[in-house]
Amino acid sequence: MAMYADLLAHPEETSSSAVPPVDNDQAQEDVDIAIVRNLEQQLLHVDTSGTVKHSPLLQRLRRHTAQPLPFPFVHAPLVDETQELHCRVLQLANARLDRLQVLKQTEPSSSTSQETLVPTPLFSLEQYQALTRTCVNKGDIEAAELALHLIKRSGLLVPEDSLTIVLHQHAEVGNVAGVEQCLASFLAGPPTEPQRHLHVKCHLRATRRHHIPESALAVLHSYETQGLPAPMKTYTSTIAALYSTNLSIARAQAWDLFSHMRYVAHPKPDVVLYTSMIRACASPVVTSRSSDPERALDLWTEMTVEQRLTPTVGSYNAVILACAKSGRKAYVNEAFRIAKEMVDSHRDAYGRSAYVPDRSTLCALLEGAKRIGDLSRARWILADLVQSDAGEADGVNEEIMMHVFHAYTSYVPPFTRNLALLKASPAPEVRVPTAAEPAADVPPPVNQPSRFTHIPPQTGNEVIDEVQALFERILEDTGKGQGGASLDPLLGGPQKFKHVILSVRLVNSYLSVHYQHSSLEVSEALFWKVFNDVGVVPDARSYLEALERCARSKKRERDLSLQFAERLWENWLELEDAGRASSRTLDARMVERAHVAFIRVLALNGQLQRALDHVKSFVQKYPPSLLYERPVKPSFRSTRTAMVGARPLVRLTSHNEVPDDRVSPLLAFDDLELLHHRLVAASMRAGIGYIKYISKAYEWALRGRRDAAMKARPAPDTHAIATA
C-alpha cells in the first residue's frame, strides 16, 4: 500500500513539503517601520544620552573646510511633528542632502574631482528599500516617489524592487503618466520583465470598458521591436482584455496576438495561456458558430500530449465548455467523456481524485445537455447537487437553475404510454387490495406526493409540473414564496435553493419553458404576474422572447396573440426609444428580431396595411443609407506584408472572417416573406412592390458596405507614434 501510495500520489502532495513558508506581510511591515524610526533618530543626531553627535562625513567635510559653515549644522532642522513618520524622515533626509551639497560647494579648489564624484548616501540600500515600502504601505505614492528621488540624489542606482512596487501602485489605478515618468526618471538601463509587464498593465487598466486597448498593444509591440519582449503573463492579460470587449475585431486580434507571440516571444505557452485560448474557443470570432470544438481539442492535445503540461480544473472546464457549447451531439458526448476522465483517471491509491469538479464544470455540462435537449442528464446533475452537502461556493445558484430551465425548454416529450405517470382522479376512492394483489401495490401514505419521478416527463403538462415545483421551491427558500409549502423529498432538504438569485435572466428562462410547453393564455397571464411576484423589472430580452412566442402562435390563439403583442410592443418601444436617446443602444440584431416578430403577428392576424405601415416606420428609423457608412479599419488590423511592425506579423484570422459588429438594424426578404405571401394572396400590388424594393435596398447596401470594408485602408497608427 505504501508503494502504491507513493506511485499514485498527486503532484501537490509530493511537493507540499518543499513549498517555502509564506512571508508574513505584517511582520515585514513592522520591521520596515522600526527601520524608518531608527532613520529618524539617526537624522536628528540624538543618541540615548541626549547629546548631539555628528556623522563622520560631516566631520570630514568640516576639517577640509577653511571657511565657516553657512549654517549651524549642530542643530537639527525643524520638522512638523504632526506629519507621519515617513514624511518626517523624507523631510530630514532632503534637508541633510541640501547641507551636504552646500558643504561640497565650499571645499577648496585643490580637492580632486574624483572625491567630489564619490556618492554620499545617507542610508544603506536596505534602509532605502524599507523607507520606500513604508510609503507604499501607507498609500502615499507621492512620498514613495520622493524616496526614489532621494536614492537618486544620493548617487545610488534605484533598486529594482523599490521601483517595481511604485510602478505597481500606479498600474493598479491606470496612471499611465505616473508609470512612464517613473521609468524615465529612475530607470538606468532597460526595464526588467516585471516592469515591462506593469507598463502594459497600466495601459490596460487605463482603457475604457468595451474599448480595444490600442495603447497597450502599441507598447507591447514597441518592446518587441526593441528586442525586449514582455513576459508571457503580459500577453495573457492583453488577450483576456481583448476578449472582454465582446467585439469581433478584438477577438480576432486576440487570436492573432496568440499566434504572433509564439513566433516572436514565447514559442511554448504555459497552462494559463492555453486555458485562456481553449476557453476562447467557446466564443469564436465567427458568430455563425456557437463554439469551435475542433480548435479547442487541438489545443488540448497540444498542451497535454505534446507539451506534457499538467492541466488544471480550469483547463478541464474550458475544454468541456468549448465542446458542450457546439450543440452537436458528438462533441457534447465528448464533453461528458472528458469530465469522466477528469474525475476517474487521476486517482491516488486511496481513490481520491486529483481534480474535484466545481460549479463551472457542472455549468459547462448543463450547457451541453440543454443544447441537445438531454433532460435526463440535466435532471441527474441537479439531483446530485441537491442531495450533496455543497455550500454556497459549489451549490445550486442562479446560473445552474437557468441552464436547467433551458434544458426543460429544449426537451421534446416523447409520450411513451407505458412510461407515462398515472395520476389519480381529483376525488380518489380508497381502494382495498384483494387477496390476488400484493400489498406492495398500495402507495405509501404521504402528506405530499413527489412531483418528480425517476424517468423524464412524458408530456408537456408533466414538464410544466416539474418546472413549477422547482420555481416554487426557489421562491420558498429565498423568502419570496407564500410560506407553508411542503418540501418535495426529491429536491433535498430545506434551504437547498437559498443561494439562487431571482434575477431577470432566471425569470426569462423560467418563462421560456412555458412558451414552449404551455398555451399562450397561460404564458400571458404568467408574464404579467411573475415579474411582480419576484420583484424584478423585465428587460429587452423578456419582451423579445414574448413577442416571438406570439409570432408562432397557433390559429386558435391569433386573437389573443395580437392583444398580448400590442401590450408588449408598447413597453418595447419605450426601451428602444430610451436606448436611441442615450448612448446605450439595444443590440441591432435584437431590434431586428423584435420588429420582425411584431410584423409577423400583424400579418398572421390579417392586418396587412398596418404591417406595411410598420415596415415603413422601421425604414424611417433605420434607413438603408446607414449601412453605407464606411467602416474604419484600425492600424493594428493592417494586412500589409512586413517583417517588423507594431502589429501581429502572423495571423490566425483573415480580414473577411471578422464580422462587422456595427451593422445597423435591417430587414431581409426572409424576414418579410410571410407578409409578402399574404400581400400576394390579397392582391395588394403596391405593398408587394414596396416589400421587394426595400428588401433589395438593404441587400445592396450590405453589399456596398462589404466592398468598402474589403477595400478599406488602415488608419494612421497614432499610438505607435506617441509611444516612439
Side-chain angles (χ1 to χ4, degrees):
M1 188 63 185
M3 179 186 68
Y4 280 108
D6 183 59
L7 288 175
L8 301 177
H10 300 151
E12 291 79 4
E13 297 177 358
T14 57
S15 61
S16 60
S17 59
V19 176
V22 180
D23 294 335
N24 192 343
D25 295 338
Q26 184 61 39
Q28 181 65 44
E29 186 176 349
D30 295 340
V31 172
D32 292 339
I33 292 178
I35 293 175
V36 174
R37 290 182 189 218
N38 292 334
L39 295 180
E40 184 184 24
Q41 297 298 324
Q42 176 183 345
L43 290 170
L44 290 173
H45 302 285
V46 179
D47 59 6
T48 55
S49 61
T51 60
V52 179
K53 61 181 181 180
H54 312 299
S55 64
L57 179 61
L58 288 179
Q59 294 175 1
R60 181 178 63 83
L61 291 175
R62 187 180 182 186
R63 288 195 303 267
H64 290 284
T65 304
Q67 300 177 357
L69 294 176
F71 55 88
F73 72 96
V74 296
H75 298 291
L78 296 178
V79 295
D80 188 0
E81 296 295 336
T82 61
Q83 291 181 340
E84 295 191 21
L85 175 64
H86 64 278
C87 295
R88 298 198 302 269
V89 171
L90 287 173
Q91 183 179 356
L92 291 170
N94 281 289
R96 175 66 62 83
L97 283 178
D98 292 339
R99 295 178 183 182
L100 293 178
Q101 290 179 357
V102 173
L103 289 174
K104 287 183 179 181
Q105 293 176 359
T106 58
E107 288 186 357
S109 59
S110 60
S111 59
T112 61
S113 61
Q114 288 80 5
E115 186 177 357
T116 60
L117 296 177
V118 174
T120 56
L122 298 179
F123 319 123
S124 64
L125 280 179
E126 291 76 10
Q127 292 173 330
Y128 278 123
Q129 291 175 342
L131 177 60
T132 307
R133 285 194 299 266
T134 301
C135 297
V136 171
N137 292 332
K138 296 294 184 180
D140 194 347
I141 190 63
E142 295 181 0
E145 290 187 12
L146 290 177
L148 298 183
H149 278 290
L150 187 65
I151 299 174
K152 189 176 180 180
R153 287 186 62 189
S154 301
L156 301 176
L157 294 178
V158 176
E160 175 187 342
D161 296 339
S162 300
L163 178 57
T164 301
I165 60 175
V166 175
L167 292 177
H168 178 75
Q169 297 299 316
H170 283 303
E172 287 296 323
V173 296
N175 187 4
V176 176
V179 168
E180 294 181 348
Q181 183 178 0
C182 288
L183 290 176
S185 302
F186 308 118
L187 199 61
T192 61
E193 284 195 352
Q195 293 167 357
R196 297 196 291 270
H197 171 71
L198 292 173
H199 191 187
V200 178
K201 178 182 178 181
C202 181
H203 281 272
L204 293 176
R205 290 291 180 91
T207 304
R208 290 185 298 172
R209 189 179 180 185
H210 301 308
H211 283 71
I212 299 177
E214 297 187 33
S215 61
L217 293 173
V219 173
L220 190 65
H221 293 304
S222 175
Y223 280 126
E224 294 171 354
T225 56
Q226 299 173 28
L228 300 170
M232 190 179 302
K233 63 180 180 180
T234 309
Y235 288 91
T236 304
S237 302
T238 308
I239 290 173
L242 287 169
Y243 246 85
S244 65
T245 59
N246 292 326
L247 299 175
S248 299
I249 189 173
R251 294 180 180 181
Q253 190 70 13
W255 282 105
D256 294 344
L257 185 62
F258 174 69
S259 62
H260 171 79
M261 179 208 71
R262 303 191 67 176
Y263 278 90
V264 303
H266 308 286
K268 294 183 179 180
D270 56 3
V271 177
V272 178
L273 186 52
Y274 268 122
T275 302
S276 299
M277 302 315 299
I278 294 174
R279 187 180 293 110
C281 294
S283 302
V285 178
V286 182
T287 56
S288 59
R289 293 180 294 178
S290 56
S291 71
D292 195 353
E294 296 88 353
R295 177 178 285 182
L297 291 175
D298 288 344
L299 290 172
W300 176 258
T301 304
E302 179 184 339
M303 179 183 72
T304 57
V305 178
E306 297 178 8
Q307 303 295 339
R308 296 184 179 181
L309 298 176
T310 303
T312 61
V313 177
S315 304
Y316 274 104
N317 293 343
V319 69
I320 291 172
L321 180 62
C323 293
K325 285 191 68 176
S326 66
R328 288 179 274 180
K329 191 172 183 179
Y331 286 108
V332 173
N333 292 334
E334 179 68 12
F336 278 89
R337 187 201 66 79
I338 294 176
K340 182 177 177 60
E341 173 189 321
M342 167 187 174
V343 177
D344 294 339
S345 299
H346 303 85
R347 296 187 181 273
D348 59 4
Y350 301 96
R352 296 171 300 188
S353 178
Y355 303 99
V356 180
D358 55 8
R359 182 184 291 166
S360 299
T361 312
L362 300 180
C363 288
L365 294 175
L366 286 172
E367 185 80 41
K370 79 178 186 182
R371 288 181 181 270
I372 62 174
D374 193 346
L375 185 59
S376 300
R377 282 173 169 169
R379 295 169 85 244
W380 167 69
I381 293 174
L382 179 62
D384 184 69
L385 270 176
V386 298
Q387 297 298 333
S388 64
D389 296 331
E392 182 179 0
D394 296 321
V396 182
N397 70 339
E398 171 202 5
E399 188 176 4
I400 290 286
M401 294 309 304
M402 184 184 66
H403 290 313
V404 170
F405 287 149
H406 286 163
Y408 278 100
T409 303
S410 60
Y411 174 66
V412 180
F415 189 65
T416 306
R417 185 173 294 277
N418 59 348
L419 294 179
L421 179 63
L422 298 178
K423 295 185 177 180
S425 58
E429 298 179 357
V430 179
R431 183 169 174 269
V432 180
T434 60
E437 295 176 336
D441 290 342
V442 181
V446 291
N447 296 330
Q448 176 67 30
S450 175
R451 300 162 74 174
F452 291 84
T453 59
H454 294 287
I455 60 174
Q458 300 297 303
T459 62
N461 291 334
E462 293 181 7
V463 171
I464 295 299
D465 197 26
E466 287 192 5
V467 170
Q468 190 68 25
L470 284 172
F471 197 72
E472 290 176 359
R473 180 61 184 276
I474 294 173
L475 294 177
E476 188 69 25
D477 289 351
T478 55
K480 296 286 186 178
Q482 300 297 329
S486 58
L487 298 179
D488 196 305
L490 295 182
L491 293 181
Q495 304 300 314
K496 283 292 183 179
F497 297 86
K498 64 180 180 180
H499 302 302
V500 178
I501 300 175
L502 290 168
S503 63
V504 62
R505 67 172 188 168
L506 178 67
V507 178
N508 290 341
S509 61
Y510 168 66
L511 286 172
S512 66
V513 185
H514 288 269
Y515 296 153
Q516 184 67 25
H517 299 285
S518 289
S519 63
L520 184 60
E521 183 179 2
V522 175
S523 301
E524 181 194 15
L526 186 63
F527 182 89
W528 303 115
K529 178 178 181 298
V530 66
F531 286 105
N532 294 329
D533 294 344
V534 175
V536 296
V537 180
D539 60 354
R541 184 166 294 277
S542 305
Y543 297 115
L544 173 61
E545 293 179 353
L547 283 170
E548 290 182 338
R549 171 63 181 90
C550 296
R552 62 174 186 268
S553 60
K554 299 178 182 179
K555 192 171 183 179
R556 63 176 182 271
E557 300 173 337
R558 297 287 167 79
D559 295 337
L560 180 61
S561 67
L562 180 60
Q563 298 174 7
F564 188 23
E566 287 176 344
R567 293 184 61 186
L568 293 170
W569 190 250
E570 294 178 359
N571 297 321
W572 169 267
L573 281 180
E574 294 179 1
L575 289 177
E576 184 179 347
D577 294 340
R580 293 182 63 196
S582 62
S583 58
R584 301 181 60 181
T585 58
L586 298 179
D587 182 65
R589 308 288 78 79
M590 292 183 65
V591 174
E592 286 177 10
R593 290 169 55 187
H595 282 272
V596 169
F598 191 64
I599 292 172
R600 184 179 177 86
V601 171
L602 296 176
L604 287 175
N605 285 271
Q607 300 192 12
L608 303 182
Q609 187 58 47
R610 187 178 174 188
L612 273 176
D613 295 339
H614 189 90
V615 174
K616 293 177 181 179
S617 65
F618 177 87
V619 174
Q620 186 177 2
K621 277 185 179 180
Y622 309 100
S625 58
L626 293 178
L627 301 177
Y628 283 104
E629 295 180 358
R630 183 177 296 273
V632 178
K633 185 177 182 180
S635 58
F636 57 82
R637 294 301 301 170
S638 174
T639 56
R640 184 186 297 274
T641 303
M643 299 301 296
V644 178
R647 57 184 175 83
L649 306 178
V650 181
R651 296 187 181 273
L652 286 179
T653 55
S654 61
H655 183 58
N656 56 357
E657 291 178 344
V658 182
D660 190 355
D661 297 330
R662 302 180 183 273
V663 178
S664 61
L666 56 92
L667 292 176
F669 183 77
D670 293 340
D671 302 328
L672 304 175
E673 187 175 5
L674 175 63
L675 177 59
H676 180 268
H677 290 338
R678 295 301 175 95
L679 292 174
V680 171
S683 300
M684 298 177 63
R685 296 184 179 273
I688 296 172
Y690 181 77
I691 293 298
K692 290 182 179 180
Y693 158 74
I694 202 61
S695 301
K696 285 298 181 180
Y698 280 116
E699 179 183 347
W700 281 100
L702 277 179
R703 290 187 180 184
R705 186 183 183 92
R706 182 193 61 184
D707 295 340
M710 297 300 296
K711 298 176 183 178
R713 294 182 177 273
D717 193 356
T718 56
H719 293 282
I721 295 174
T723 305

